[in-house]
Amino acid sequence: DAEITQSPRHKITETGRQVTLACHQTWNHNNMFWYRQDLGHGLRLIHYSYGVQDTNKGEVSDGYSVSRSNTEDLPLTLESAASSQTSVYFCASSEWRERPQYFGPGTRLLVL
Amino acid sequence: AQTVTQSQPEMSVQEAETVTLSCTYDTSESDYYLFWYKQPPSRQMILVIRQEAYKQQNATENRFSVNFQKAAKSFSLKISDSQLGDAAMYFCAYRNRDDKIIFGKGTRLHILP
């Protein structure tokens, strides 16, 4: 069955370290998204991509970057982790907006 | 920019009763999609129901239905015959023409046995 996976599911890191969160989908969707979820804020969009080599900044993109070298993967990199980036991160993908947007299981990141 | 507002941070309902979760949104677009997502303790985001803005008929999915008032920019979720498994955080969400989703801050629903 097609799916969307995230790894790792849990991560503890130290401030200043570079961290990469993986997102992989097997639906061959063009659109992929990264969100973060914090108490009192719901989910907020970090970065998104409409296809290979396309990346765009979302609402809360400072301190994050993404790259899209193939259709299946959109890794999220925290260039220098900060305690304010402690959060739960969700990846999502969709074919286009007429179709559902599917979410991965989430990655819980703790920055100490 | 679009915004989504859920004015009820928490709600409780007796098992088997009906509950309505409120959501309002703001947009200048005429063509968009609205959703309710459920997030149980597992944190998995589960699509509950969706509504296309161009459709006047309210969407229904089994015990879940919406009251979509386009002019008022209101999109409430009604859960009938509430069950213990309905306990979760519920997010109202707006999907714009660029396929980006804007979420409300959520309503935590408690089911009382």
Side-chain angles (χ1 to χ4, degrees), chain B residues 39-91:
Chain B
Q39 188 180 44
S42 68
R43 289 193 174 271
Q44 181 70 49
M45 294 292 287
I46 301 167
L47 178 64
V48 175
I49 198 165
R50 74 177 216 163
Q51 173 80 42
E52 293 89 341
Y54 63 85
K55 289 187 177 178
Q56 292 187 337
Q57 187 173 7
N58 290 324
T60 62
E61 286 288 342
N62 301 313
R63 298 183 294 107
F64 299 87
S65 61
V66 298
N67 183 5
F68 174 48
Q69 303 288 328
K70 190 172 184 179
K73 296 179 181 174
S74 171
F75 183 62
S76 60
L77 174 70
K78 185 172 82 171
I79 306 174
S80 304
D81 185 26
S82 298
Q83 300 175 0
L84 294 177
D86 295 334
M89 183 74 87
Y90 286 82
F91 291 98

Side-chain angles (χ1 to χ4, degrees), chain A residues 76-98:
Chain A
L76 177 71
T77 297
L78 287 66
E79 290 132 12
S80 177
S83 57
S84 60
Q85 295 176 309
T86 292
S87 187
V88 180
Y89 292 86
F90 287 94
C91 179
S93 74
S94 66
E95 190 172 43
W96 196 238
R97 65 191 193 113
E98 288 76 16

Side-chain angles (χ1 to χ4, degrees), chain A residues 31 37 50 94 97 99, chain B residues 31 39 50 95 98-99:
Chain A
N31 302 349
Q37 183 178 22
Y50 292 137
S94 66
R97 65 191 193 113
R99 304 295 298 162
Chain B
D31 183 22
Q39 188 180 44
R50 74 177 216 163
R95 192 171 182 180
D98 296 326
D99 199 28

